Amino acid sequence: MNFKPLFGGVLLAAMAASAWTIDGTVTDKAGSPLAFVKIDGFNYGGYSTTSDAQGKFNLSNEGTEALPSITAMNNLSVKRDGFNLNITNPSKIAVKVSLMDALGKVQAQKEFNSASASIDLKKFGNQKLMIVKVASNSESENYVLANGALMKAGDPMAMLQFAKEGYVNLTYTMKAEVETGVIIVMEKVGEAPVASSSSEVKPAVSSSSVTPSSSSVAPVSSSSVELVVNCAGKTYAAGEHNMSITVDGKQRTFIMRVPSAYKGDKPVPLVVDYHPIGGQSASHMNASGYKTYTDALGGISLYPQGTTKTMGPGWNVGPCCSYDDDIKFSREMIKKVEELVCIDTKRVYAAGFSMGGGMSNHVACNMSDIFAAVAPAAMDLNTVNSASCNTTRPISIIMFRGTADNVCRYEGGDSGFNDGLNFLGAKKNFKFWGDKNGCNTASSITNSDGCEEYTGCKDGVRVVLCTKQGGGHDYGDAKVGWPFLNSFTMP
């Protein structure tokens, strides 16, 4: 079997970005080192550091196993343990694992249906990049062994934010997976702009904020809906399908993920998951975590691709960060998908991280006729789109925030990038949605997930804020977010 067509140069370039390391010095315009500059990952959440007294910094995601398991395929688990690549297969399904070099040449291949198998990596010497393809049933997923770390394929280059009191926030996007001796020049507030090595912004990959406990709500049955939804002719091949639609004369793209559990014989839930600014739909799909849960139910998940205004692919949430009508795009995308697969239109949900979290807040304002509930992470509404928030009904929302988020600060305020974004902050965003949904906002309770929750909301909706003390710019916790979303249906 020839795998080379699956691994062209463009894909390999994206794969190589999975593991990254950067070091350098932060200075002011005069060349003096800047100490105690906070450095955060925008598109790789959970990674942060601070420059030392000489302005030196080092940040890396090497050694991180970003692939602890592949739950999308019957609880398969793939893990690197020293010189072994171990695969556990509790369902004992037929599995094929292929290990390829950077040119796509198969170096090892194993087919099995036992409970476990392993591939010895010692024979491959010091190869810095190898591709792992795991296939079972009609599904396959690609991963990367890069610099000793097991990573997901398709991750974008790392983008970092540099922030210090009295200085203008600065972002830097890496050009290669390893960069040394980088000089970051920051300008004081009020100084003439400096020609920076940065001009873009991207958000994160990490697990999230709240330690999950047993969910406080149980999934709701859709049996009553199934009686009125016609699924005839809506079977669809399992896999990740690249789709496109035309909106306002412009081609827009998204990934539609159809799990093997989808049979087209009953209506299933739909999750629309928005990527961070500077992100890509494919890498966000692999990082967000919601696909694990929708896959298990045979549900469909969508990963739309944003467009660029100034700082890389993003979303139009008011004054930033796209020229396109992303509300219209979202409506047309969902309409297209409902024509192809059997969607329970009363169980359509939105999630997102960073700017994608801003977008999922935004669709709650403008698409409450479509979405039953939303789960934004690491971003709030801003003063512009909150002022024009126009819900047509109460809508449930669970928000994930970290108190030490240096990208979208927990206390809110100006973004620091002259993009017009002035955020409400986590607490004000929480109260905004509490007031909007008619909740009792004079006080809140702590629910079984350890999150704040208002009570007495209209029509049985819920408004929840999950805060991680000391948490940074991180993805939401799908273990908590999904049971919340899946407990709601449209009235």
Side-chain angles (χ1 to χ4, degrees), residues 163-174:
K164 181 177 174 66
E165 188 72 28
Y167 288 81
V168 177
N169 287 357
L170 181 147
T171 58
Y172 177 79
T173 302
M174 293 179 64

Side-chain angles (χ1 to χ4, degrees), residues 171-194:
T171 58
Y172 177 79
T173 302
M174 293 179 64
K175 310 300 187 296
E177 61 188 273
V178 178
E179 295 188 15
T180 60
V182 176
I183 304 298
I184 301 294
V185 181
M186 299 185 69
E187 63 187 69
K188 290 183 179 179
V189 174
E191 279 185 323
V194 61

